[in-house]
Amino acid sequence: NRGTAGEWTTTPAANNFSSGFKAQQDGGAVRIGADVYCIGGTYWGPNEATHLQIYNITNASWTTHEYVYNKQLRRFGIAPVGTKIYLLGGEEVNGDAYSSKVYMLDTTNIAAGLQVAGSIAVAVRDPSVVSWKGVLYLVAGLTVDGPTNLFQIFNPATAATVIHNEPLPVNAFGASCAVSPAGTFYFGGGLRMVDPVSGWLVNSSRLWTGPMPEQDIF
């Protein structure tokens, strides 16, 4: 959406992979410069691997990279730090249903593929992630015991992870989050939470806001 009046445009379709698929479900996308990196997810085949499509905004063109990892990854949190993309938690198809791994893709050396860059303290899938001041904040997510309200903070420079001592006010997964340059944190949208009366998982339209939970993990 580029226009001030809300005009929407459609990009050219992504390329077919050698499997014939090009759609994505439960993967992730981030923008670095003029490129949007779309990685992972289901129906990206073949052979249960993780593939990458890159959309260049300036040229309206796609570039395809197959087999950036030898497992199919989905339902992870994703965010960039500099020229590197980090995939945190999620699910490994035919592997860990709740992953604790942190994967990294260096966009200056895509041929090297995804590398394991560390781990998080609590394995989650469907988390939210924000990148701020060179540190990744993994927010909430679904654990084997249900939704959580944890802030897990991962420092790419040291591969250290800590759990912040002040959790979110709600257990959730599959939510959206963002941080302003001044450090105001926003969390909400179509998040899933446990209804306090019925105990069921329900959607919520709440938007939570507050200061970023800074913590020294260097």
Side-chain angles (χ1 to χ4, degrees), residues 137-149:
Y137 291 76
L138 185 74
V139 185
L142 183 64
T143 73
V144 67
D145 296 317
T148 181
N149 63 349

Side-chain angles (χ1 to χ4, degrees), residues 73-189:
L73 307 178
R74 64 185 181 187
R75 300 180 69 176
F76 45 78
I78 186 170
V81 176
T83 59
K84 296 178 179 179
I85 298 171
Y86 290 86
L87 284 58
L88 299 91
E91 178 182 5
E92 299 177 349
V93 178
N94 295 329
D96 293 335
Y98 297 86
S99 174
S100 62
K101 294 185 180 72
V102 177
Y103 294 95
M104 182 275 293
L105 179 70
D106 187 344
T107 61
T108 66
N109 185 17
I110 292 173
L114 280 173
Q115 309 291 319
V116 176
S119 62
I120 53 178
V122 177
V124 292
R125 65 190 189 199
D126 298 314
S128 304
V129 180
V130 290
S131 175
W132 193 54
K133 295 185 177 181
V135 176
L136 295 167
Y137 291 76
L138 185 74
V139 185
L142 183 64
T143 73
V144 67
D145 296 317
T148 181
N149 63 349
L150 298 178
F151 270 105
Q152 301 191 67
I153 307 175
F154 177 75
N155 182 358
T158 62
T161 303
V162 298
I163 296 178
H164 193 260
N165 52 17
E166 294 183 9
L168 288 166
V170 62
N171 294 344
F173 68 98
S176 296
C177 60
V179 59
S180 73
T184 301
F185 176 70
Y186 299 88
F187 178 82

Side-chain angles (χ1 to χ4, degrees), residues 191-195 198 200-204:
L191 63 90
R192 302 270 290 177
M193 55 187 291
V194 177
D195 182 88
S198 68
W200 295 350
L201 292 173
V202 297
N203 293 327
S204 172

Side-chain angles (χ1 to χ4, degrees), residues 5 9 52 67 76 80 108 121:
T9 58
L52 170 70
Y67 300 102
F76 45 78
T108 66

Side-chain angles (χ1 to χ4, degrees), residues 10-16 22 53-55 60-64:
T10 302
T11 71
N15 301 325
N16 285 336
K22 59 185 171 186
Q53 294 266 39
I54 305 172
Y55 177 72
S61 61
W62 289 90
T63 304
T64 303

